[in-house]
Amino acid sequence: MAEEAAHDLMAEGESDNTRLAYRAAMRYWAAWFGARYGRQMSLPVPVPVVVQFIVDHAERSTKAGLEHQLPPAIDEALVEAGFKGKLGAPALNTLMHRISVLSMAHHLSKQANPCVDPAVKALLSKTRKAYAKRNALPHKQRALTKEPLEAVLETCNDSLKGKRDRALLLFAWASGGRRRSEVSEAVFENLHRGDEGAYLYTLASSKTNHNGKIRPEDVKPVVGSAAVALEAWLKASGIASGPLFRRILKNGKLGTDGLSGTAVRDIVKARCALAGVGDDFSAHSLRSGFVTEAGRQNMPLQETMAMTGHRSTDTVAGYFRAGAAQVSEVARMMDLGKQSSNKA
């Protein structure tokens, strides 16, 4: 049932990463339901079941400390079967994602949606507020801004792997903070020479362009050090068609297969660990890092959005403002006053 629901859930053309995430969420729902109720789950899921799912997975404050409702035996069974990574309550983001996946499953199958029931919506709202009061904010991967990225790039030597990773990191960051699916699906045929050593890359498919229509905003510049790194990688690898970034085999030779989204993530995490900049970066850190750095350098928001492909300012503004806040003159009014006095 979970496999069929996941198949129906995801429309043709969605990224592999999105499909995997939705499939995993639906598998978890089916496994939890079977363990909780002793029978197979089917749509529509009753409202009380969704309420039970929330209280099973959301932590709440008690006299004994933080607790959740999931019985230990079921928790252990889900971990042993591989549906959970570890015992205990998941992150709030994970819980909310699984609710949204179930909601979409009901919407696409045209079933009565329990996730929009007033009781469920009220419980989710109170749950978010409870986490906020405990300062248990949703975890966000750190933004890989210019300074830590430069340290990461220093780990990329002149080996074939080093050249690939350097080109990949700079391509993803400098062309507007590309998503890992956009990096893993990049192909040589969409890369074109620009002027003065620059490249232009056309995003034929992205999260905001499922139809493959070529629009002016889908042409991204790869210039400066990013273009130099890409040129070095293409020359060393000999790639003239097909996937732009590929696996490197154990014997050091170039593979024919393109990297997966998971491999892109692993490259970012491995290079960050090697550089010693921290272990809380991911592939998305390249995207958030580009936007945050743009804010730090007071780049125009609309120009930044044109590079990233964001259509809503609500999504991008958080990272952008966080970067801008670090160089805010308003935030430094006290210090600016002292500097003026010292000069006098």
Side-chain angles (χ1 to χ4, degrees), residues 171-178 220-221 286-287 290-291 304 307-309:
F171 171 86
W173 197 94
S175 67
R178 302 274 58 87
K220 307 298 181 182
L286 294 167
R287 188 165 176 79
F290 178 85
V291 177
T304 302
M307 286 288 287
T308 62

Side-chain angles (χ1 to χ4, degrees), residues 139-144 148 277-282 284-286 288-289:
H139 176 70
K140 285 188 176 183
Q141 299 291 342
R142 281 177 63 193
L144 194 58
V277 296
D279 58 359
D280 50 352
F281 292 101
S282 71
H284 186 71
S285 298
L286 294 167
S288 60

Side-chain angles (χ1 to χ4, degrees), residues 13-277:
E14 287 287 4
S15 73
D16 290 340
N17 296 328
T18 304
R19 273 197 299 274
L20 289 172
Y22 276 66
R23 184 177 293 117
M26 289 304 299
R27 282 177 173 169
Y28 185 84
W29 266 104
W32 169 84
F33 187 95
R36 241 319 181 172
Y37 298 101
R39 64 182 189 275
Q40 184 176 342
M41 187 176 81
S42 60
L43 302 183
V45 174
V47 169
V49 170
V50 179
V51 171
Q52 185 67 60
F53 186 89
I54 295 170
V55 299
D56 271 4
H57 296 87
E59 288 184 315
R60 65 188 189 283
S61 297
T62 69
K63 292 181 179 180
L66 291 176
E67 294 183 358
H68 62 107
Q69 198 70 31
L70 188 65
I74 294 179
D75 200 6
E76 292 172 6
L78 290 171
V79 172
E80 289 176 4
F83 293 104
K84 287 186 70 179
K86 60 182 180 180
L87 297 173
L92 181 60
N93 280 349
T94 302
L95 171 58
M96 295 301 179
H97 177 260
R98 286 171 179 164
I99 296 294
S100 68
V101 169
L102 187 71
S103 178
M104 187 178 292
H106 282 82
H107 173 72
L108 293 180
S109 61
K110 298 181 180 180
Q111 301 272 7
N113 190 349
C115 301
V116 299
D117 185 90
V120 172
K121 293 176 70 174
L123 180 57
L124 287 175
S125 176
K126 294 296 184 183
T127 299
R128 282 190 289 262
K129 290 178 180 178
Y131 273 68
K133 287 179 67 176
R134 297 198 303 265
N135 291 317
L137 300 176
H139 176 70
K140 285 188 176 183
Q141 299 291 342
R142 281 177 63 193
L144 194 58
T145 50
K146 182 180 178 181
E147 185 175 346
L149 178 60
E150 288 176 336
V152 170
L153 293 172
E154 287 293 324
T155 70
C156 301
N157 57 25
D158 285 333
S159 67
L160 189 62
K161 186 176 181 180
K163 289 180 178 179
R164 180 202 65 184
D165 290 358
R166 182 178 181 84
L168 183 153
L169 291 165
L170 282 169
F171 171 86
W173 197 94
S175 67
R178 302 274 58 87
R179 301 175 180 89
R180 62 177 178 168
S181 60
E182 294 168 351
V183 176
S184 65
E185 295 169 6
V187 294
F188 182 86
E189 285 76 8
N190 291 349
L191 185 68
H192 306 283
R193 276 282 192 179
D195 298 329
E196 300 179 358
Y199 286 96
L200 295 172
Y201 186 80
T202 303
L203 286 172
S205 177
S206 67
K207 188 175 181 179
T208 55
N209 179 18
H210 298 293
N211 298 322
K213 294 180 179 179
I214 305 304
R215 306 168 301 182
E217 60 265 33
D218 292 322
V219 179
K220 307 298 181 182
V222 182
V223 301
S225 58
V228 172
L230 186 58
E231 175 73 17
W233 161 242
L234 292 174
K235 184 177 180 180
S237 65
I239 292 175
S241 64
L244 198 55
F245 300 106
R246 305 183 184 185
R247 291 192 311 122
I248 295 174
L249 307 178
K250 290 183 178 180
N251 59 11
K253 294 184 179 180
L254 186 70
T256 58
D257 298 333
L259 296 173
S260 65
T262 301
V264 174
R265 178 203 63 193
D266 291 344
I267 288 171
V268 174
K269 293 182 75 68
R271 287 292 176 184
C272 287
L274 193 61
V277 296

